[in-house]
Amino acid sequence: MEKKDIRKLVFSRRKELSSEELERKSRIICDTILQMEEFQKAEAVYVYMDCKGEVSTKPLIEAAWRLGKKVAAPKVHGDEMTYYYISSYEDVAPGYYDIPEPVTGLEAEDEDALLIVPGVGFDAKRHRCGYGKGFYDRYLSQHTKHTTAAVAFELQMMDEVMSTEYDILPQYLVTEERFFADPDVLLESIGRSAKETEPVLRKLSTASKNEALLKAADYLEQYAEDILEANAKDIEEARKNQMPEGLVDRLMLNTGRIAGMSEGLRQIARLDDPIGEVSEMKKRPNGLMIGRKRVPLGVIGIIYESRPNVTADAFGLCFKTGNAVILKGGSDAIHSNTAIVKVICRALEDCRIPKTALQLIQVTDRETTSRFMKLKQYVDVLIPRGGAGLIRAVVNNSTIPVIETGTGNCHIYVDETADLDMAIDIINNAKTQRIGVCNACESIVVHEKVEKQLLSALKKRLDEHKVEMRCDEQALSCIPEAVPASEEDWGREYLDYILSVKTVSSLDEAIAHINKYNTGHSESIITRDYANALRFLDEIDAAAVYVNASTRFTDGFEFGFGAEIGISTQKLHARGPMGLEALTTTKFIIFGDGQVRP
């Protein structure tokens, strides 16, 4: 679409906006700008004076005046545009094309202001269609140190806006629904803010941290309607995009799940604070006292998918351990994550704690995610939480040290001595209680001596939930209506109402099969044989190994950690549900009395 056509289309769309809608959408856009670190740190805000259905900049102007910031507006002189300071609306009057312009005041001379850019049409790459006169491109080509943020209604967003070599892209673009940014500018700002905030968090008392956690917990429930409204947008979009129901379930929030998020924060507040704990203090022969002190990791980055509850859990655990956290959620949950972060940051501000303790990267494109993985100058450790593809991408591409959280191809082995009623109850719970989580059972391994009796009864129970069973040849002889399993099925994390069934003739064969195909997450044996239970515990290579219990218990809340940052399936530093201690490191502390090394 040519720019003249974009202008015609947008002008007609803007005319259809009621004054109430224009004001409401403008307020949302301006609120986003007001929350930006760039606005809060700016000493001067250069802002256009809106007219003819543009995004209203009055909330920005009035907020800047209240905060004592300098405000400047543009005035056209021939082919050039110059900014002048204004201190009230009386300083402007209709000028060029009836656009309000300064009539008095001093010429603005700031070279590092936050400059708000208008426009007619934009695309997701921040290409801009202006009004056709080139004033902003010419001005910005001569004033390169300004931070630039364009504002637009969603109705102004196009699939593509043609660009030329003379166009200067705004660094940020904000609509009432979305946020776009130059990845390098955005990540530099977020990373620098996190690094500056980390020393403040390191010195917070336990009492101060607990106060903020409890307030955040209260606010999540107090503002639950706002969060649910945002989540409904994500759910609607997910179903429109035909997301599998298991993943929709991961994404979905309700009052009960929000209450669970709040309770997680309250539990974290009740837990002992590991920071400052001193251990292993020993006296050396030369009189030096050497010990270890537990300290924060620093700045933690977390990349995750479709799990808005992770937003609150990650904040709580990182904050209690004195770490600043940068979150990069998926596009599927962007509205939910943004709403949750907004509520928590409100609690932090009310407790006089920098809200940059928790930052969300609101841009969801892959380029930004890829560059975030390389923000090593600011981020001390990166934790991926999601599917196999996400985890593999982070492990393979990150220049930041990674704590690997794993996918969950979890098995339950039904031993020949098992209580079969218990086995059916446990398998049913592990498979169907919640299908879209990493600790759900995806595969059962059955001893051939109990297979026929178990599978006939198990199928009846799983049929209640319409679980598809994918069986090897021997298991198919017990339930012919099942689906034949392929080799691929043994290693699948379905996150769906599907369960694979493998027949074995011994405990040795069961252990070998599970260790070959598992993801190191959670495995369980159902048995009445004590020796078999001990062998399973000793020989299965996984972060959590159960005897006669559902794999669904692999969870920070269930393990008494209050919440978890993820389930680590690696073997360095942290393994299993990652609670507070997993988000700390230690440093040596040494007390001397004048010792020098000979």
Side-chain angles (χ1 to χ4, degrees), residues 35 39 88 195 225 241 250 271 375 395 415 442 448 450 488 492 501 513 544 546:
Q35 295 296 318
F39 176 84
S88 77
K195 208 67 176 177
E225 286 301 317
N241 294 331
R250 276 189 169 192
L271 294 173
L375 204 64
V395 170
D415 188 36
E442 303 288 24
E448 61 185 6
V450 297
E488 184 186 33
R492 285 280 299 276
V501 183
H513 176 84
Y546 294 84

Side-chain angles (χ1 to χ4, degrees), residues 23-92:
E23 183 179 351
R24 185 183 68 82
K25 292 175 185 286
S26 295
R27 170 61 66 180
I28 293 171
I29 293 167
C30 290
D31 281 348
T32 301
I33 298 285
L34 294 174
Q35 295 296 318
M36 290 172 59
E37 197 72 10
E38 287 75 8
F39 176 84
Q40 294 174 14
K41 289 185 175 180
E43 295 182 2
V45 179
Y46 286 20
V47 58
Y48 71 89
M49 307 301 294
D50 60 274
C51 68
K52 301 176 182 177
E54 294 177 306
V55 173
S56 173
T57 57
K58 287 182 180 178
L60 291 177
I61 294 170
E62 291 163 7
W65 282 336
R66 283 196 307 273
L67 294 168
K69 299 178 184 290
K70 292 180 284 186
V71 176
K75 183 178 180 65
V76 171
H77 303 278
D79 290 334
E80 299 300 320
M81 184 175 72
T82 305
Y83 279 85
Y84 292 87
Y85 295 121
I86 60 173
S87 57
S88 77
Y89 292 123
E90 294 180 0
D91 294 339
V92 298

Side-chain angles (χ1 to χ4, degrees), residues 9-227:
L9 175 63
V10 171
F11 291 159
S12 66
R13 287 177 175 177
R14 286 202 310 216
K15 286 179 181 178
E16 295 174 1
L17 264 186
S18 68
S19 58
E20 292 79 10
E21 278 291 279
L22 188 151
E23 183 179 351
R24 185 183 68 82
K25 292 175 185 286
S26 295
R27 170 61 66 180
I28 293 171
I29 293 167
C30 290
D31 281 348
T32 301
I33 298 285
L34 294 174
Q35 295 296 318
M36 290 172 59
E37 197 72 10
E38 287 75 8
F39 176 84
Q40 294 174 14
K41 289 185 175 180
E43 295 182 2
V45 179
Y46 286 20
V47 58
Y48 71 89
M49 307 301 294
D50 60 274
C51 68
K52 301 176 182 177
E54 294 177 306
V55 173
S56 173
T57 57
K58 287 182 180 178
L60 291 177
I61 294 170
E62 291 163 7
W65 282 336
R66 283 196 307 273
L67 294 168
K69 299 178 184 290
K70 292 180 284 186
V71 176
K75 183 178 180 65
V76 171
H77 303 278
D79 290 334
E80 299 300 320
M81 184 175 72
T82 305
Y83 279 85
Y84 292 87
Y85 295 121
I86 60 173
S87 57
S88 77
Y89 292 123
E90 294 180 0
D91 294 339
V92 298
Y96 181 79
Y97 276 81
D98 285 332
I99 299 169
E101 292 184 335
V103 291
T104 59
L106 298 173
E107 183 175 334
E109 298 179 343
D110 310 274
E111 288 300 325
D112 57 354
L114 171 63
L115 189 147
I116 308 301
V117 182
V120 179
F122 295 88
D123 64 20
K125 295 181 179 180
R126 291 170 286 113
H127 294 137
R128 171 179 171 271
C129 168
Y131 290 88
K133 302 298 182 180
F135 290 120
Y136 278 89
D137 288 327
R138 283 194 296 276
Y139 178 86
L140 291 173
S141 68
Q142 300 168 38
H143 302 82
T144 58
K145 294 183 179 180
H146 290 316
T147 299
T148 53
V151 292
F153 299 122
E154 273 293 320
L155 60 83
Q156 296 174 246
M157 295 300 296
M158 304 288 131
D159 291 336
E160 183 180 13
V161 173
M162 299 301 294
S163 62
T164 72
E165 59 181 309
Y166 303 106
D167 293 341
I168 298 177
L169 274 62
Q171 294 163 341
Y172 300 95
L173 168 60
V174 181
T175 77
E176 72 272 23
E177 294 184 11
R178 292 186 284 175
F179 184 91
F180 308 89
D182 179 298
D184 292 331
V185 174
L186 175 67
L187 294 175
E188 173 73 20
S189 173
I190 288 176
R192 187 174 59 250
S193 295
K195 208 67 176 177
E196 290 171 355
T197 302
E198 185 265 327
V200 178
L201 302 179
R202 194 189 314 146
K203 294 184 288 185
L204 282 179
S205 68
T206 300
S208 295
K209 289 188 280 190
N210 290 344
E211 178 191 6
L213 286 167
L214 293 173
K215 188 171 285 290
D218 290 343
Y219 278 16
L220 285 174
E221 293 180 329
Q222 183 178 334
Y223 296 101
E225 286 301 317
D226 294 344
I227 297 171

